[in-house]
Amino acid sequence: MRIPIIAYALCFSAATIAQPALVPWPKSMEEHEGVFAIQLAGLLEGTGADGWGTMLRADLVAMGGLAHNQDEILRSIRFQRDDKLDKEAYVFTVEPDQVTIAASTREGALHATQTLRQLARKENTGTWAWPCIRVEDAPAYAWRGTMLDVSRHFYTVDFLKRYLDELARLKLNIFHWHLTDDQGWRVEVKKYPKLTEVGAWRTETDGTRYGGFYTQEQVKEVVAYAAARGITVVPEVEFPGHCSAALAAYPELGCRQDTLAVPTTWGVFHDVYCMGWDSTWTFFQDVLDELLPLFPAPWFHAGGDEVPKDRWERCNACQERMHKEGLDNEQELQAWAMKRLQNYLARKGKRMVGWDEILEGGLDKAAVVEVWRGDEQARKARANGNEMVRTIYFDASPANLTMDAVKAFDPRVDGAVNGILGAECPVWSERIDARSIGYYVFPRIQLFAERMWTGALNSGIDRRIAPQLTRLEGDGWITAQADKDLFLSKVRYQPATRSWQATTRCGRADMDVAWAMGRDSGTFNDTLVLHAPGTVALTPRWRGRPVEDATAITIVPNLALGAKQRVLPPADRRYGSDPLHGMTDGLLGTGSYGDDLWQGWWGMDPSITIDLDSVRTVSEISIRCLQQAGVWIVLPKSVSFETSRDGKQWTSISMDVHHVPVETPGPLVHAFAAQPATALQARYVRVQLRNSGKLPAWHMGAGADSWIFADEVVVR
Ligand code: ACM
Ligand code: ZN
């Protein structure tokens, strides 16, 4: 009989023997003396275990451990089927002369293989070995998933394969593929070619085309690749909202049937599928008829999140539908639509999954609810009798979602697991693409995988993750080192030297920043000083490769540069970092309202007075304002311009208004300007902005005050 020398479940600190760096930690493990030398091994698959050893065989070949022929075999590795084990469970025993691996399914055998991969050690002799060990293991949750949004940014098939390899190592078993959204339709549908001819491409604000899609052949390739690694692909096609790209391709599917462009900005869009036209249903069913056969998963994710109802309220066809179906309001119309879709899916043998909004207006118990809005929604799903998948969003910046917060994530609701299939760590791709995703995912996903496989975080987790990160970086994945954001940059005006100082902070010590301004360029690590106006592009890099698009900061010539400003009422302290010179620092805001260059006022009519220090010749005054209605930032109704020689007697020059509808979602920048017929002599300039008033009835924040955002008063 073998005496275990260490039983890890009881004892974690054996000073002389390194605890194996396994993630996730197995349910039970006993290490024994001795090793199995991975040399001249023969790999056998028992009855009913055909193909279970394929992945391990590839590893053995890579480690030079496989015997070339029968006669050479010194030791055996045997996969055998044991139907008494649970679906994903496995048991293996490594002894000096043989390894036996038992599971009841190929998935279980693949999980065993992943554990064996992590246990393999290179001996001093240069050959590979496994420690003698017995592992019994099984997952705590059935749904251990991640979601990838390939709409906002596109990821190639090669990328997806590398990503799936990493999910499989961690015994994650669901890849939720978010295939469509407003900014791109990413899957070929032969009956509706414009979905990808039109809907897969967008024209960015700089005029470049961005996009891509997967052919049905590529979809099959990804699904098969995942399946070979024990991962089920759950496709998501958004319905009935988040569909601007589809409406850009087929405008007749929307209530207003008007022409739309595939959007280049983020947020929630008002145009959704019309629930009145029968043709919308024909379309969606045709799409499902083509796509469902590509995915063997028993689930289909139909979206259902963030559906504004204002188009339906004003649409005759939708209102007629509500009347005919006896629906009292648009919320019931959505519930009716999801139910109709669920029935269609059920006829095709699929269970519908949807975001937690599908609970609103009544939900059939057979649907799976993906809870993204917290415990309250999870309780609702439980009370309604639905199974659920919980979430922790990994696109959150590391400063906002710290490692401690990830460690604290627990899919249970009020301490109980009933109704909880498991959880996902979705990656939304607005700010993320293939260059940076590793920074958001690693090492968070190691913590997530451990929680999902074992139900807890076990002792030594940080130490066990460390070698994984080294290996990931060796394979070209950027990983996060601490709770620092990938890249932060601030540019500040320095009045004393009339220069601008860019201060950056990269999330890793081995990153740098490439800068370019006109014909000049270079790299730096923390601080860059600029002496003249122009546009500087800052690109954060890891190992010399960009990990994000460049951040462009524009400095404009301004007669008022560094001039004293008096702002009444003062700007909100949460926005704009320079209260002394924010409106006269030469710095223009970027497309991001939170960039510290925009100043904000909520429900106010700000007045900005600039002192040019002496009487100057003024031929133009302008101020730039931002609109991003989704976050309540609206252009001012009007801007009036005045000048004064002494700060007491004021002369009105003009008032400027605009014709940009609040509906234009933005972010967009509009310059308000005054150009007197002849140049003026003035020491003081005053700009008064009139707030546009309450947010309109269709807006999510209807009736609330709107914000004014402005970045610079430019005097010429
Ligand atoms: C979601 O984040 N709209 C599901
Ligand atoms: Zn309609």
Side-chain angles (χ1 to χ4, degrees):
M1 196 182 105
R2 276 178 191 284
I3 309 291
I5 54 171
I6 296 177
Y8 286 100
L10 302 173
C11 168
F12 290 105
S13 54
T16 50
I17 296 159
Q19 179 200 31
L22 294 173
V23 182
W25 191 243
K27 206 166 174 170
S28 93
M29 176 162 74
E30 282 175 8
E31 204 168 345
H32 301 269
E33 230 150 343
V35 298
F36 176 99
I38 306 174
Q39 259 179 310
L40 301 177
L43 197 146
L44 309 163
E45 293 168 345
T47 313
D50 292 340
W52 289 10
T54 305
M55 186 189 278
L56 187 60
R57 180 173 287 114
D59 282 355
L60 294 173
V61 169
M63 291 187 284
L66 201 63
H68 297 286
N69 56 55
Q70 283 301 114
D71 303 341
E72 257 186 20
I73 294 176
L74 284 185
R75 305 167 188 86
S76 66
I77 301 167
R78 178 189 295 273
F79 283 88
Q80 59 196 35
R81 182 165 177 146
D82 179 352
D83 288 327
K84 289 191 294 297
L85 292 170
D86 287 343
K87 189 173 163 302
E88 290 190 276
Y90 67 88
V91 177
F92 66 69
T93 310
V94 179
E95 294 168 295
D97 52 352
Q98 64 171 352
V99 177
T100 50
I101 304 158
S104 65
T105 62
R106 198 176 55 91
E107 285 71 23
L110 290 169
H111 296 322
T113 302
Q114 296 295 356
T115 304
L116 285 166
R117 295 176 101 177
Q118 291 188 23
L119 282 172
R121 301 175 190 158
K122 202 161 195 170
E123 303 274 76
N124 292 336
T125 56
T127 56
W128 290 85
W130 283 311
C132 286
I133 201 166
R134 177 179 167 83
V135 173
E136 291 184 23
D137 207 2
Y141 293 97
W143 190 300
R144 306 178 304 280
T146 187
M147 184 214 81
L148 185 62
D149 161 18
V150 298
S151 173
R152 276 58 177 266
H153 281 105
F154 181 66
Y155 297 82
T156 63
V157 169
D158 283 345
F159 172 89
L160 294 179
K161 289 180 176 176
R162 288 181 60 222
Y163 198 56
L164 289 163
D165 284 341
E166 297 307 331
L167 304 183
R169 284 179 194 274
L170 296 168
K171 303 186 175 72
L172 298 174
N173 66 342
I174 299 280
F175 177 63
H176 168 180
W177 201 358
H178 186 80
L179 282 164
T180 72
D181 213 304
D182 294 299
Q183 296 81 4
W185 181 285
R186 304 265 176 250
V187 57
E188 176 191 32
V189 179
K190 294 192 165 90
K191 194 160 183 178
Y192 298 94
K194 282 193 284 185
L195 285 174
T196 44
E197 285 166 15
V198 175
W201 304 94
R202 60 183 188 245
T203 305
E204 304 286 22
T205 32
D206 66 0
T208 56
R209 294 280 280 165
Y210 182 89
F213 65 92
Y214 308 101
T215 64
Q216 294 189 1
E217 284 311 307
Q218 287 176 317
V219 168
K220 287 185 210 163
E221 189 183 335
V222 170
V223 168
Y225 190 91
R229 284 151 188 78
I231 297 172
T232 300
V233 178
V234 177
E236 179 182 358
V237 177
E238 281 268 18
F239 178 86
H242 281 297
C243 59
S244 303
L247 298 181
Y250 295 99
E252 61 271 29
L253 301 171
C255 292
R256 303 207 299 195
Q257 306 198 316
D258 48 8
T259 312
L260 301 169
V262 177
T264 58
T265 57
W266 321 123
V268 174
F269 294 82
H270 291 269
D271 287 291
V272 299
Y273 293 119
C274 178
M275 291 298 103
W277 317 123
D278 287 326
S279 51
T280 309
W281 287 100
T282 310
F283 164 80
F284 218 78
Q285 291 174 6
D286 287 344
V287 168
L288 293 178
D289 289 349
E290 273 195 44
L291 296 186
L292 292 181
L294 308 178
F295 299 95
W299 304 281
F300 181 87
H301 202 306
D305 59 319
E306 298 183 315
V307 184
K309 308 293 189 295
D310 49 304
R311 295 291 189 259
W312 294 353
E313 284 164 12
R314 288 175 188 72
C315 170
N316 289 339
C318 283
Q319 293 301 314
E320 218 168 278
R321 173 79 70 188
M322 284 167 55
H323 183 73
K324 211 168 83 195
E325 300 291 339
L327 306 170
D328 287 340
N329 54 50
E330 286 71 20
Q331 188 53 60
E332 287 184 15
L333 181 60
Q334 178 171 348
W336 170 86
M338 295 313 293
K339 177 69 185 155
R340 181 166 170 170
L341 189 61
Q342 186 182 0
N343 289 343
Y344 189 77
L345 289 166
R347 283 208 295 283
K348 304 274 168 176
K350 303 282 178 181
R351 255 180 104 180
M352 185 179 78
V353 186
W355 299 103
D356 59 41
E357 284 93 331
I358 64 173
L359 284 160
E360 293 159 15
L363 178 64
D364 185 288
K365 287 186 188 17
V368 175
V369 178
E370 180 160 12
V371 176
W372 70 282
R373 292 177 303 174
D375 287 353
E376 214 40 60
Q377 299 298 323
R379 289 188 191 107
K380 267 202 222 168
R382 177 176 281 167
N384 199 54
N386 292 91
E387 288 194 305
M388 72 186 103
V389 173
R390 308 221 56 197
T391 55
I392 175 168
Y393 280 12
F394 276 5
D395 50 306
S397 91
N400 284 331
L401 178 72
T402 63
M403 286 291 279
D404 281 345
V406 180
K407 286 178 176 173
F409 173 74
D410 187 331
R412 291 179 295 179
V413 187
D414 300 325
V417 294
N418 59 307
I420 298 172
L421 286 176
E424 287 184 357
C425 50
V427 178
W428 299 100
S429 294
E430 286 93 338
R431 294 175 304 128
I432 293 174
D433 62 28
R435 297 169 297 179
S436 58
I437 188 171
Y439 194 85
Y440 294 86
V441 168
F442 307 115
R444 288 168 166 174
I445 203 164
Q446 273 78 12
L447 298 174
F448 175 79
E450 171 116 340
R451 171 75 65 177
M452 299 312 297
W453 183 265
T454 72
L457 292 188
N458 304 279
S459 168
I461 180 71
D462 294 321
R463 195 184 48 72
R464 286 183 282 122
I465 285 175
Q468 295 219 359
L469 298 183
T470 307
R471 201 263 314 151
L472 282 159
E473 288 163 23
D475 286 350
W477 291 100
I478 186 171
T479 71
Q481 287 176 333
D483 297 335
K484 286 189 203 160
D485 287 342
L486 178 60
F487 176 59
L488 278 179
S489 167
K490 278 194 199 319
V491 183
R492 276 280 200 133
Y493 180 60
Q494 309 294 121
T497 51
R498 295 181 77 80
S499 64
W500 293 264
Q501 184 169 312
T503 311
T504 65
R505 205 183 74 181
C506 295
R508 295 176 53 103
D510 58 357
M511 288 174 65
D512 67 0
V513 183
W515 67 273
M517 190 173 197
R519 285 200 215 104
D520 298 327
S521 63
T523 62
F524 70 106
N525 269 318
D526 48 27
T527 306
L528 175 72
V529 178
L530 302 164
H531 295 281
T535 295
V536 62
L538 304 174
T539 310
R541 309 186 310 169
W542 178 56
R543 296 181 177 173
R545 295 197 311 259
V547 290
E548 275 187 357
D549 287 340
T551 299
I553 308 248
T554 297
I555 303 168
V556 290
N558 189 352
L559 207 57
L561 186 66
K564 281 203 283 295
Q565 62 178 42
R566 204 159 70 92
V567 179
L568 286 173
D572 192 288
R573 291 225 302 275
R574 285 170 287 178
Y575 303 101
S577 58
D578 190 348
L580 293 179
H581 300 288
M583 301 305 296
T584 58
D585 58 7
L587 289 161
L588 301 187
T590 65
S592 164
Y593 68 88
D595 65 5
D596 270 352
L597 301 172
W598 292 102
Q599 319 271 318
W601 296 264
W602 190 31
M604 295 171 181
D605 297 328
S607 160
I608 300 155
T609 306
I610 307 288
D611 178 357
L612 299 174
D613 215 37
S614 61
V615 173
R616 312 288 296 265
T617 304
V618 173
S619 56
E620 186 191 57
I621 309 165
S622 64
I623 183 165
R624 294 177 7 127
C625 294
L626 180 72
Q627 176 158 300
Q628 191 170 346
V631 290
W632 303 26
I633 301 170
V634 182
L635 293 176
K637 191 182 297 176
S638 65
V639 178
S640 62
F641 298 88
E642 297 161 283
T643 57
S644 168
R645 293 177 74 104
D646 57 9
K648 297 186 185 87
Q649 296 276 9
W650 290 91
T651 309
S652 170
I653 307 174
S654 61
M655 186 174 85
D656 198 5
V657 295
H658 69 92
H659 303 286
V660 181
V662 190
E663 284 82 356
T664 312
L668 65 89
V669 174
H670 182 84
F672 295 85
Q675 289 163 314
T678 54
L680 301 165
Q681 297 299 309
R683 173 171 168 180
Y684 298 92
V685 166
R686 187 157 74 192
V687 182
Q688 304 205 55
L689 301 92
R690 284 281 307 281
N691 190 283
S692 69
K694 306 286 183 194
L695 293 166
W698 54 262
H699 196 279
M700 301 255 180
D705 284 327
S706 57
W707 285 83
I708 286 177
F709 268 55
D711 62 354
E712 183 81 354
V713 175
V714 180
V715 180
R716 294 212 162 98

